[in-house]
Amino acid sequence: MATQQELSETRQDSGVGIVQTRLATLFAPPNWLKLAGGGELGPIQVAYETYGALTPAKDNAIFICHALTGDAHAAGYYEDDDEKAKPGWWDDLIGPGRTLDTDKYYVICANVLGGCQGTTGPGSINPETNQSYRLGFPFITVGDIVEVHSALTKHLGIDQLLAVIGGSLGGMQVLEWATRFPDQLRGAICLASAAQLSAQGIAFNAVGRRAIKTDPEFKDGEYEVGAGPRYGLALARMIAHITYLSDQSIEMKFGRRLQDHDTFTYEMLPEVEFQVESYLHYQGKRFVERFDANSYLYLTRAMDYFDLLSQHGSLVNALGKTDARFLIASYDSDWLFTTTQSKEIVRALIECGKHVSFIELKSPFGHDSFLIEIEQLNKMITPFLEQAYSTCLAENKPAS
């Protein structure tokens, strides 16, 4: 077992060290958030973390948009973590001297609206009933999520972000932000994402939601905190996790290796015989310990509804209002958000005369590559941010 000193040294090596999640209350009545699906919501509590320091000019802020099951804890450790606790989900990317250099940039990450890690969602208390919202929580869209992100940015006193960055659902938020608030960002970094979820993506989400809703413990969403459709949610995660991997990565990691035997058992009752089965069961079990089933329903539906093309008539119309610089990246082994979808965004940006850089990165890790291939991200994001920041400083330099 690790000593307290060893744990402390590990946390210091994480880059940003010990961090703290903060809470902000936004959209307090009568200033409700007007939702895309109709209706209003407020007050909204937002859980967020920040790393680094904001300059007096407030020109060095970068906002991270997390993916479907992420949270605000992008980097560092918590003070009360035990030895099994892990650092933030993008810890290797954030910190002094790292890609998102906290000696230079002020980095923000917030849990999304509808989530279950501190920001108002289905598991939160409805002030009108003093009971959890559950499925009484209003329908939300990616646009609603970005409205809350934007309000948090203003709450922190920041008028314009140096960049917004995200992958997967986070990348959808980046594109929505550039469309909805075109003057609020100078740079947009969209990783492994798309301007609309594919039919295949919608199909996988549908199967996951079906697994949750047919679990007898779902109870039409009226389950108690700490209870609920554990088997259904675990199955939804197992299905989704397959889409985050590539055939190559699964073969590399597991192949056809057996888990606890040298030969086949020739029995039907055991659920696990291959290592890949054991891995998926582990992923499902671990997921239900940290995520809420109702939040999963709401956020996957928000992804399904995201479609900049139908909402604005074309991607040119959607993205043509901003002067932000774009960095679009895809992965050759990602079959959930393909390079073809990324190139569609790039073509639209070129057509409307925007500054855009694009790269298809080689990786065996599939859709999850943007969470794993840190060195690749460093090589392309670091110069992109440096150029954006130097341009910002040059534009704001007082005339001599």
Side-chain angles (χ1 to χ4, degrees), residues 326-359:
F326 285 80
L327 173 59
I328 310 294
S330 65
Y331 294 88
D332 63 347
S333 60
D334 185 353
W335 54 276
L336 185 60
F337 289 88
T338 66
T339 293
T340 299
Q341 291 171 296
S342 288
K343 286 183 175 179
E344 184 180 25
I345 300 168
V346 173
R347 283 194 297 270
L349 289 167
I350 292 173
E351 186 175 339
C352 56
K354 304 305 174 185
H355 186 290
V356 56
S357 300
F358 167 73
I359 184 170

PDB file of all heavy atoms in Angstrom, residues 326-359:
ATOM      1  N   PHE A 326     -10.098  27.563 -36.603  1.00  0.00           N
ATOM      2  CA  PHE A 326     -10.542  26.204 -36.303  1.00  0.00           C
ATOM      3  C   PHE A 326      -9.404  25.213 -36.460  1.00  0.00           C
ATOM      4  O   PHE A 326      -8.577  25.324 -37.366  1.00  0.00           O
ATOM      5  CB  PHE A 326     -11.674  25.780 -37.234  1.00  0.00           C
ATOM      6  CG  PHE A 326     -13.007  26.404 -36.912  1.00  0.00           C
ATOM      7  CD1 PHE A 326     -13.298  27.695 -37.310  1.00  0.00           C
ATOM      8  CD2 PHE A 326     -13.958  25.683 -36.207  1.00  0.00           C
ATOM      9  CE1 PHE A 326     -14.528  28.270 -37.020  1.00  0.00           C
ATOM     10  CE2 PHE A 326     -15.192  26.240 -35.910  1.00  0.00           C
ATOM     11  CZ  PHE A 326     -15.477  27.538 -36.316  1.00  0.00           C
ATOM     12  N   LEU A 327      -9.379  24.235 -35.565  1.00  0.00           N
ATOM     13  CA  LEU A 327      -8.524  23.063 -35.692  1.00  0.00           C
ATOM     14  C   LEU A 327      -9.448  21.849 -35.609  1.00  0.00           C
ATOM     15  O   LEU A 327     -10.104  21.628 -34.587  1.00  0.00           O
ATOM     16  CB  LEU A 327      -7.485  23.015 -34.570  1.00  0.00           C
ATOM     17  CG  LEU A 327      -6.619  21.751 -34.494  1.00  0.00           C
ATOM     18  CD1 LEU A 327      -5.847  21.533 -35.789  1.00  0.00           C
ATOM     19  CD2 LEU A 327      -5.661  21.822 -33.304  1.00  0.00           C
ATOM     20  N   ILE A 328      -9.526  21.108 -36.701  1.00  0.00           N
ATOM     21  CA  ILE A 328     -10.390  19.931 -36.777  1.00  0.00           C
ATOM     22  C   ILE A 328      -9.506  18.697 -36.900  1.00  0.00           C
ATOM     23  O   ILE A 328      -8.615  18.644 -37.758  1.00  0.00           O
ATOM     24  CB  ILE A 328     -11.335  19.997 -37.998  1.00  0.00           C
ATOM     25  CG1 ILE A 328     -12.057  21.357 -38.067  1.00  0.00           C
ATOM     26  CG2 ILE A 328     -12.320  18.838 -37.966  1.00  0.00           C
ATOM     27  CD1 ILE A 328     -13.017  21.618 -36.939  1.00  0.00           C
ATOM     28  N   ALA A 329      -9.746  17.700 -36.044  1.00  0.00           N
ATOM     29  CA  ALA A 329      -8.935  16.479 -36.087  1.00  0.00           C
ATOM     30  C   ALA A 329      -9.832  15.249 -36.012  1.00  0.00           C
ATOM     31  O   ALA A 329     -10.812  15.214 -35.264  1.00  0.00           O
ATOM     32  CB  ALA A 329      -7.928  16.451 -34.937  1.00  0.00           C
ATOM     33  N   SER A 330      -9.493  14.252 -36.816  1.00  0.00           N
ATOM     34  CA  SER A 330     -10.186  12.968 -36.791  1.00  0.00           C
ATOM     35  C   SER A 330      -9.146  11.867 -36.612  1.00  0.00           C
ATOM     36  O   SER A 330      -7.935  12.117 -36.659  1.00  0.00           O
ATOM     37  CB  SER A 330     -10.972  12.744 -38.085  1.00  0.00           C
ATOM     38  OG  SER A 330     -10.074  12.632 -39.189  1.00  0.00           O
ATOM     39  N   TYR A 331      -9.622  10.625 -36.431  1.00  0.00           N
ATOM     40  CA  TYR A 331      -8.727   9.486 -36.250  1.00  0.00           C
ATOM     41  C   TYR A 331      -9.066   8.397 -37.255  1.00  0.00           C
ATOM     42  O   TYR A 331     -10.242   8.083 -37.470  1.00  0.00           O
ATOM     43  CB  TYR A 331      -8.831   8.950 -34.818  1.00  0.00           C
ATOM     44  CG  TYR A 331      -8.310   9.938 -33.796  1.00  0.00           C
ATOM     45  CD1 TYR A 331      -9.137  10.896 -33.239  1.00  0.00           C
ATOM     46  CD2 TYR A 331      -6.972   9.923 -33.417  1.00  0.00           C
ATOM     47  CE1 TYR A 331      -8.655  11.822 -32.311  1.00  0.00           C
ATOM     48  CE2 TYR A 331      -6.472  10.841 -32.492  1.00  0.00           C
ATOM     49  CZ  TYR A 331      -7.325  11.787 -31.945  1.00  0.00           C
ATOM     50  OH  TYR A 331      -6.832  12.698 -31.036  1.00  0.00           O
ATOM     51  N   ASP A 332      -8.039   7.819 -37.852  1.00  0.00           N
ATOM     52  CA  ASP A 332      -8.271   6.866 -38.940  1.00  0.00           C
ATOM     53  C   ASP A 332      -8.979   5.589 -38.483  1.00  0.00           C
ATOM     54  O   ASP A 332      -9.603   4.898 -39.286  1.00  0.00           O
ATOM     55  CB  ASP A 332      -6.951   6.529 -39.652  1.00  0.00           C
ATOM     56  CG  ASP A 332      -5.938   5.834 -38.751  1.00  0.00           C
ATOM     57  OD1 ASP A 332      -6.131   5.827 -37.520  1.00  0.00           O
ATOM     58  OD2 ASP A 332      -4.934   5.316 -39.282  1.00  0.00           O
ATOM     59  N   SER A 333      -8.917   5.266 -37.193  1.00  0.00           N
ATOM     60  CA  SER A 333      -9.556   4.047 -36.685  1.00  0.00           C
ATOM     61  C   SER A 333     -10.894   4.316 -35.991  1.00  0.00           C
ATOM     62  O   SER A 333     -11.501   3.403 -35.439  1.00  0.00           O
ATOM     63  CB  SER A 333      -8.607   3.341 -35.707  1.00  0.00           C
ATOM     64  OG  SER A 333      -8.291   4.192 -34.611  1.00  0.00           O
ATOM     65  N   ASP A 334     -11.350   5.559 -36.029  1.00  0.00           N
ATOM     66  CA  ASP A 334     -12.608   5.929 -35.374  1.00  0.00           C
ATOM     67  C   ASP A 334     -13.773   5.668 -36.328  1.00  0.00           C
ATOM     68  O   ASP A 334     -13.908   6.324 -37.354  1.00  0.00           O
ATOM     69  CB  ASP A 334     -12.559   7.417 -34.990  1.00  0.00           C
ATOM     70  CG  ASP A 334     -13.771   7.873 -34.190  1.00  0.00           C
ATOM     71  OD1 ASP A 334     -14.730   7.083 -34.026  1.00  0.00           O
ATOM     72  OD2 ASP A 334     -13.762   9.028 -33.730  1.00  0.00           O
ATOM     73  N   TRP A 335     -14.614   4.700 -36.002  1.00  0.00           N
ATOM     74  CA  TRP A 335     -15.757   4.389 -36.858  1.00  0.00           C
ATOM     75  C   TRP A 335     -17.070   4.941 -36.310  1.00  0.00           C
ATOM     76  O   TRP A 335     -18.114   4.803 -36.928  1.00  0.00           O
ATOM     77  CB  TRP A 335     -15.869   2.887 -37.093  1.00  0.00           C
ATOM     78  CG  TRP A 335     -15.919   2.046 -35.849  1.00  0.00           C
ATOM     79  CD1 TRP A 335     -14.858   1.608 -35.115  1.00  0.00           C
ATOM     80  CD2 TRP A 335     -17.087   1.528 -35.212  1.00  0.00           C
ATOM     81  NE1 TRP A 335     -15.289   0.848 -34.041  1.00  0.00           N
ATOM     82  CE2 TRP A 335     -16.660   0.774 -34.087  1.00  0.00           C
ATOM     83  CE3 TRP A 335     -18.451   1.608 -35.476  1.00  0.00           C
ATOM     84  CZ2 TRP A 335     -17.543   0.132 -33.227  1.00  0.00           C
ATOM     85  CZ3 TRP A 335     -19.336   0.968 -34.622  1.00  0.00           C
ATOM     86  CH2 TRP A 335     -18.878   0.232 -33.505  1.00  0.00           C
ATOM     87  N   LEU A 336     -16.999   5.613 -35.147  1.00  0.00           N
ATOM     88  CA  LEU A 336     -18.192   6.257 -34.585  1.00  0.00           C
ATOM     89  C   LEU A 336     -18.326   7.686 -35.121  1.00  0.00           C
ATOM     90  O   LEU A 336     -19.411   8.115 -35.522  1.00  0.00           O
ATOM     91  CB  LEU A 336     -18.118   6.256 -33.060  1.00  0.00           C
ATOM     92  CG  LEU A 336     -19.349   6.778 -32.316  1.00  0.00           C
ATOM     93  CD1 LEU A 336     -20.582   5.953 -32.643  1.00  0.00           C
ATOM     94  CD2 LEU A 336     -19.090   6.785 -30.806  1.00  0.00           C
ATOM     95  N   PHE A 337     -17.221   8.427 -35.136  1.00  0.00           N
ATOM     96  CA  PHE A 337     -17.159   9.766 -35.736  1.00  0.00           C
ATOM     97  C   PHE A 337     -16.032   9.726 -36.771  1.00  0.00           C
ATOM     98  O   PHE A 337     -14.859   9.804 -36.421  1.00  0.00           O
ATOM     99  CB  PHE A 337     -16.888  10.834 -34.678  1.00  0.00           C
ATOM    100  CG  PHE A 337     -18.043  11.099 -33.760  1.00  0.00           C
ATOM    101  CD1 PHE A 337     -18.214  10.352 -32.606  1.00  0.00           C
ATOM    102  CD2 PHE A 337     -18.978  12.082 -34.052  1.00  0.00           C
ATOM    103  CE1 PHE A 337     -19.280  10.579 -31.752  1.00  0.00           C
ATOM    104  CE2 PHE A 337     -20.053  12.326 -33.206  1.00  0.00           C
ATOM    105  CZ  PHE A 337     -20.212  11.573 -32.054  1.00  0.00           C
ATOM    106  N   THR A 338     -16.402   9.615 -38.003  1.00  0.00           N
ATOM    107  CA  THR A 338     -15.434   9.309 -39.052  1.00  0.00           C
ATOM    108  C   THR A 338     -14.725  10.545 -39.607  1.00  0.00           C
ATOM    109  O   THR A 338     -15.181  11.673 -39.430  1.00  0.00           O
ATOM    110  CB  THR A 338     -16.132   8.592 -40.214  1.00  0.00           C
ATOM    111  OG1 THR A 338     -17.066   9.503 -40.822  1.00  0.00           O
ATOM    112  CG2 THR A 338     -16.865   7.349 -39.734  1.00  0.00           C
ATOM    113  N   THR A 339     -13.637  10.279 -40.314  1.00  0.00           N
ATOM    114  CA  THR A 339     -12.913  11.352 -40.994  1.00  0.00           C
ATOM    115  C   THR A 339     -13.796  12.041 -42.031  1.00  0.00           C
ATOM    116  O   THR A 339     -13.700  13.264 -42.228  1.00  0.00           O
ATOM    117  CB  THR A 339     -11.652  10.782 -41.665  1.00  0.00           C
ATOM    118  OG1 THR A 339     -10.734  10.352 -40.639  1.00  0.00           O
ATOM    119  CG2 THR A 339     -10.961  11.828 -42.532  1.00  0.00           C
ATOM    120  N   THR A 340     -14.662  11.289 -42.686  1.00  0.00           N
ATOM    121  CA  THR A 340     -15.589  11.880 -43.659  1.00  0.00           C
ATOM    122  C   THR A 340     -16.441  12.965 -43.019  1.00  0.00           C
ATOM    123  O   THR A 340     -16.661  14.031 -43.614  1.00  0.00           O
ATOM    124  CB  THR A 340     -16.505  10.788 -44.248  1.00  0.00           C
ATOM    125  OG1 THR A 340     -15.704   9.823 -44.925  1.00  0.00           O
ATOM    126  CG2 THR A 340     -17.505  11.388 -45.232  1.00  0.00           C
ATOM    127  N   GLN A 341     -16.894  12.737 -41.807  1.00  0.00           N
ATOM    128  CA  GLN A 341     -17.703  13.737 -41.107  1.00  0.00           C
ATOM    129  C   GLN A 341     -16.885  14.978 -40.760  1.00  0.00           C
ATOM    130  O   GLN A 341     -17.375  16.100 -40.856  1.00  0.00           O
ATOM    131  CB  GLN A 341     -18.300  13.119 -39.835  1.00  0.00           C
ATOM    132  CG  GLN A 341     -19.355  12.054 -40.098  1.00  0.00           C
ATOM    133  CD  GLN A 341     -19.765  11.327 -38.837  1.00  0.00           C
ATOM    134  OE1 GLN A 341     -18.957  10.636 -38.204  1.00  0.00           O
ATOM    135  NE2 GLN A 341     -21.017  11.484 -38.449  1.00  0.00           N
ATOM    136  N   SER A 342     -15.627  14.783 -40.358  1.00  0.00           N
ATOM    137  CA  SER A 342     -14.762  15.921 -40.060  1.00  0.00           C
ATOM    138  C   SER A 342     -14.474  16.737 -41.315  1.00  0.00           C
ATOM    139  O   SER A 342     -14.469  17.978 -41.289  1.00  0.00           O
ATOM    140  CB  SER A 342     -13.440  15.444 -39.433  1.00  0.00           C
ATOM    141  OG  SER A 342     -13.644  14.982 -38.120  1.00  0.00           O
ATOM    142  N   LYS A 343     -14.238  16.050 -42.429  1.00  0.00           N
ATOM    143  CA  LYS A 343     -13.955  16.751 -43.677  1.00  0.00           C
ATOM    144  C   LYS A 343     -15.158  17.566 -44.147  1.00  0.00           C
ATOM    145  O   LYS A 343     -14.999  18.594 -44.811  1.00  0.00           O
ATOM    146  CB  LYS A 343     -13.534  15.752 -44.754  1.00  0.00           C
ATOM    147  CG  LYS A 343     -12.126  15.207 -44.560  1.00  0.00           C
ATOM    148  CD  LYS A 343     -11.736  14.268 -45.691  1.00  0.00           C
ATOM    149  CE  LYS A 343     -10.284  13.812 -45.568  1.00  0.00           C
ATOM    150  NZ  LYS A 343      -9.903  12.881 -46.661  1.00  0.00           N
ATOM    151  N   GLU A 344     -16.351  17.115 -43.821  1.00  0.00           N
ATOM    152  CA  GLU A 344     -17.550  17.881 -44.155  1.00  0.00           C
ATOM    153  C   GLU A 344     -17.525  19.244 -43.471  1.00  0.00           C
ATOM    154  O   GLU A 344     -17.867  20.264 -44.072  1.00  0.00           O
ATOM    155  CB  GLU A 344     -18.792  17.093 -43.725  1.00  0.00           C
ATOM    156  CG  GLU A 344     -20.109  17.739 -44.100  1.00  0.00           C
ATOM    157  CD  GLU A 344     -21.307  16.919 -43.642  1.00  0.00           C
ATOM    158  OE1 GLU A 344     -21.170  16.139 -42.673  1.00  0.00           O
ATOM    159  OE2 GLU A 344     -22.384  17.053 -44.247  1.00  0.00           O
ATOM    160  N   ILE A 345     -17.086  19.262 -42.218  1.00  0.00           N
ATOM    161  CA  ILE A 345     -16.947  20.524 -41.479  1.00  0.00           C
ATOM    162  C   ILE A 345     -15.871  21.388 -42.116  1.00  0.00           C
ATOM    163  O   ILE A 345     -16.051  22.600 -42.314  1.00  0.00           O
ATOM    164  CB  ILE A 345     -16.601  20.243 -40.005  1.00  0.00           C
ATOM    165  CG1 ILE A 345     -17.698  19.423 -39.338  1.00  0.00           C
ATOM    166  CG2 ILE A 345     -16.382  21.554 -39.244  1.00  0.00           C
ATOM    167  CD1 ILE A 345     -17.305  18.871 -37.970  1.00  0.00           C
ATOM    168  N   VAL A 346     -14.756  20.775 -42.455  1.00  0.00           N
ATOM    169  CA  VAL A 346     -13.627  21.502 -43.045  1.00  0.00           C
ATOM    170  C   VAL A 346     -14.029  22.146 -44.372  1.00  0.00           C
ATOM    171  O   VAL A 346     -13.711  23.321 -44.632  1.00  0.00           O
ATOM    172  CB  VAL A 346     -12.421  20.561 -43.239  1.00  0.00           C
ATOM    173  CG1 VAL A 346     -11.302  21.271 -43.999  1.00  0.00           C
ATOM    174  CG2 VAL A 346     -11.922  20.063 -41.893  1.00  0.00           C
ATOM    175  N   ARG A 347     -14.734  21.402 -45.219  1.00  0.00           N
ATOM    176  CA  ARG A 347     -15.166  21.956 -46.511  1.00  0.00           C
ATOM    177  C   ARG A 347     -16.066  23.170 -46.324  1.00  0.00           C
ATOM    178  O   ARG A 347     -15.947  24.167 -47.045  1.00  0.00           O
ATOM    179  CB  ARG A 347     -15.889  20.880 -47.320  1.00  0.00           C
ATOM    180  CG  ARG A 347     -14.961  19.868 -47.971  1.00  0.00           C
ATOM    181  CD  ARG A 347     -15.693  19.048 -49.033  1.00  0.00           C
ATOM    182  NE  ARG A 347     -16.771  18.249 -48.438  1.00  0.00           N
ATOM    183  CZ  ARG A 347     -16.618  17.012 -47.982  1.00  0.00           C
ATOM    184  NH1 ARG A 347     -15.425  16.436 -48.047  1.00  0.00           N
ATOM    185  NH2 ARG A 347     -17.639  16.346 -47.482  1.00  0.00           N
ATOM    186  N   ALA A 348     -16.961  23.100 -45.353  1.00  0.00           N
ATOM    187  CA  ALA A 348     -17.853  24.233 -45.095  1.00  0.00           C
ATOM    188  C   ALA A 348     -17.071  25.443 -44.611  1.00  0.00           C
ATOM    189  O   ALA A 348     -17.344  26.584 -45.021  1.00  0.00           O
ATOM    190  CB  ALA A 348     -18.912  23.834 -44.067  1.00  0.00           C
ATOM    191  N   LEU A 349     -16.090  25.235 -43.754  1.00  0.00           N
ATOM    192  CA  LEU A 349     -15.283  26.343 -43.243  1.00  0.00           C
ATOM    193  C   LEU A 349     -14.466  26.989 -44.360  1.00  0.00           C
ATOM    194  O   LEU A 349     -14.330  28.218 -44.426  1.00  0.00           O
ATOM    195  CB  LEU A 349     -14.362  25.850 -42.123  1.00  0.00           C
ATOM    196  CG  LEU A 349     -15.059  25.498 -40.802  1.00  0.00           C
ATOM    197  CD1 LEU A 349     -14.123  24.720 -39.887  1.00  0.00           C
ATOM    198  CD2 LEU A 349     -15.547  26.772 -40.115  1.00  0.00           C
ATOM    199  N   ILE A 350     -13.922  26.167 -45.240  1.00  0.00           N
ATOM    200  CA  ILE A 350     -13.178  26.708 -46.384  1.00  0.00           C
ATOM    201  C   ILE A 350     -14.110  27.497 -47.290  1.00  0.00           C
ATOM    202  O   ILE A 350     -13.758  28.587 -47.779  1.00  0.00           O
ATOM    203  CB  ILE A 350     -12.498  25.562 -47.162  1.00  0.00           C
ATOM    204  CG1 ILE A 350     -11.385  24.946 -46.319  1.00  0.00           C
ATOM    205  CG2 ILE A 350     -11.940  26.073 -48.491  1.00  0.00           C
ATOM    206  CD1 ILE A 350     -10.761  23.708 -46.924  1.00  0.00           C
ATOM    207  N   GLU A 351     -15.308  26.968 -47.508  1.00  0.00           N
ATOM    208  CA  GLU A 351     -16.274  27.636 -48.383  1.00  0.00           C
ATOM    209  C   GLU A 351     -16.664  29.014 -47.854  1.00  0.00           C
ATOM    210  O   GLU A 351     -16.877  29.939 -48.643  1.00  0.00           O
ATOM    211  CB  GLU A 351     -17.525  26.766 -48.534  1.00  0.00           C
ATOM    212  CG  GLU A 351     -18.524  27.318 -49.551  1.00  0.00           C
ATOM    213  CD  GLU A 351     -19.703  26.398 -49.781  1.00  0.00           C
ATOM    214  OE1 GLU A 351     -19.584  25.180 -49.475  1.00  0.00           O
ATOM    215  OE2 GLU A 351     -20.752  26.877 -50.261  1.00  0.00           O
ATOM    216  N   CYS A 352     -16.733  29.155 -46.539  1.00  0.00           N
ATOM    217  CA  CYS A 352     -17.099  30.469 -46.001  1.00  0.00           C
ATOM    218  C   CYS A 352     -15.875  31.283 -45.589  1.00  0.00           C
ATOM    219  O   CYS A 352     -15.982  32.282 -44.865  1.00  0.00           O
ATOM    220  CB  CYS A 352     -18.101  30.355 -44.858  1.00  0.00           C
ATOM    221  SG  CYS A 352     -17.626  29.316 -43.476  1.00  0.00           S
ATOM    222  N   GLY A 353     -14.700  30.864 -46.072  1.00  0.00           N
ATOM    223  CA  GLY A 353     -13.500  31.682 -45.937  1.00  0.00           C
ATOM    224  C   GLY A 353     -12.896  31.737 -44.556  1.00  0.00           C
ATOM    225  O   GLY A 353     -12.227  32.720 -44.209  1.00  0.00           O
ATOM    226  N   LYS A 354     -13.064  30.700 -43.765  1.00  0.00           N
ATOM    227  CA  LYS A 354     -12.524  30.695 -42.412  1.00  0.00           C
ATOM    228  C   LYS A 354     -11.128  30.071 -42.375  1.00  0.00           C
ATOM    229  O   LYS A 354     -10.740  29.300 -43.253  1.00  0.00           O
ATOM    230  CB  LYS A 354     -13.451  29.919 -41.461  1.00  0.00           C
ATOM    231  CG  LYS A 354     -14.878  30.447 -41.440  1.00  0.00           C
ATOM    232  CD  LYS A 354     -14.918  31.938 -41.113  1.00  0.00           C
ATOM    233  CE  LYS A 354     -16.313  32.504 -41.230  1.00  0.00           C
ATOM    234  NZ  LYS A 354     -16.352  33.965 -41.020  1.00  0.00           N
ATOM    235  N   HIS A 355     -10.390  30.431 -41.331  1.00  0.00           N
ATOM    236  CA  HIS A 355      -9.058  29.875 -41.125  1.00  0.00           C
ATOM    237  C   HIS A 355      -9.227  28.513 -40.467  1.00  0.00           C
ATOM    238  O   HIS A 355      -9.681  28.409 -39.329  1.00  0.00           O
ATOM    239  CB  HIS A 355      -8.231  30.799 -40.227  1.00  0.00           C
ATOM    240  CG  HIS A 355      -6.794  30.394 -40.080  1.00  0.00           C
ATOM    241  ND1 HIS A 355      -6.411  29.274 -39.371  1.00  0.00           N
ATOM    242  CD2 HIS A 355      -5.652  30.957 -40.556  1.00  0.00           C
ATOM    243  CE1 HIS A 355      -5.103  29.171 -39.405  1.00  0.00           C
ATOM    244  NE2 HIS A 355      -4.612  30.161 -40.110  1.00  0.00           N
ATOM    245  N   VAL A 356      -8.861  27.445 -41.168  1.00  0.00           N
ATOM    246  CA  VAL A 356      -9.056  26.104 -40.627  1.00  0.00           C
ATOM    247  C   VAL A 356      -7.859  25.216 -40.916  1.00  0.00           C
ATOM    248  O   VAL A 356      -7.284  25.255 -42.012  1.00  0.00           O
ATOM    249  CB  VAL A 356     -10.351  25.450 -41.188  1.00  0.00           C
ATOM    250  CG1 VAL A 356     -10.341  25.416 -42.709  1.00  0.00           C
ATOM    251  CG2 VAL A 356     -10.548  24.048 -40.617  1.00  0.00           C
ATOM    252  N   SER A 357      -7.457  24.450 -39.911  1.00  0.00           N
ATOM    253  CA  SER A 357      -6.428  23.423 -40.067  1.00  0.00           C
ATOM    254  C   SER A 357      -7.083  22.074 -39.809  1.00  0.00           C
ATOM    255  O   SER A 357      -7.938  21.942 -38.923  1.00  0.00           O
ATOM    256  CB  SER A 357      -5.289  23.640 -39.059  1.00  0.00           C
ATOM    257  OG  SER A 357      -4.685  24.901 -39.241  1.00  0.00           O
ATOM    258  N   PHE A 358      -6.682  21.080 -40.599  1.00  0.00           N
ATOM    259  CA  PHE A 358      -7.276  19.747 -40.447  1.00  0.00           C
ATOM    260  C   PHE A 358      -6.191  18.685 -40.492  1.00  0.00           C
ATOM    261  O   PHE A 358      -5.220  18.791 -41.251  1.00  0.00           O
ATOM    262  CB  PHE A 358      -8.282  19.463 -41.564  1.00  0.00           C
ATOM    263  CG  PHE A 358      -8.688  18.017 -41.636  1.00  0.00           C
ATOM    264  CD1 PHE A 358      -9.526  17.468 -40.675  1.00  0.00           C
ATOM    265  CD2 PHE A 358      -8.200  17.190 -42.647  1.00  0.00           C
ATOM    266  CE1 PHE A 358      -9.875  16.121 -40.726  1.00  0.00           C
ATOM    267  CE2 PHE A 358      -8.544  15.850 -42.709  1.00  0.00           C
ATOM    268  CZ  PHE A 358      -9.395  15.308 -41.742  1.00  0.00           C
ATOM    269  N   ILE A 359      -6.384  17.646 -39.682  1.00  0.00           N
ATOM    270  CA  ILE A 359      -5.480  16.505 -39.731  1.00  0.00           C
ATOM    271  C   ILE A 359      -6.240  15.231 -39.369  1.00  0.00           C
ATOM    272  O   ILE A 359      -7.087  15.234 -38.474  1.00  0.00           O
ATOM    273  CB  ILE A 359      -4.279  16.697 -38.768  1.00  0.00           C
ATOM    274  CG1 ILE A 359      -3.286  15.538 -38.918  1.00  0.00           C
ATOM    275  CG2 ILE A 359      -4.752  16.826 -37.333  1.00  0.00           C
ATOM    276  CD1 ILE A 359      -1.965  15.767 -38.190  1.00  0.00           C
TER     277      ILE A 359
END
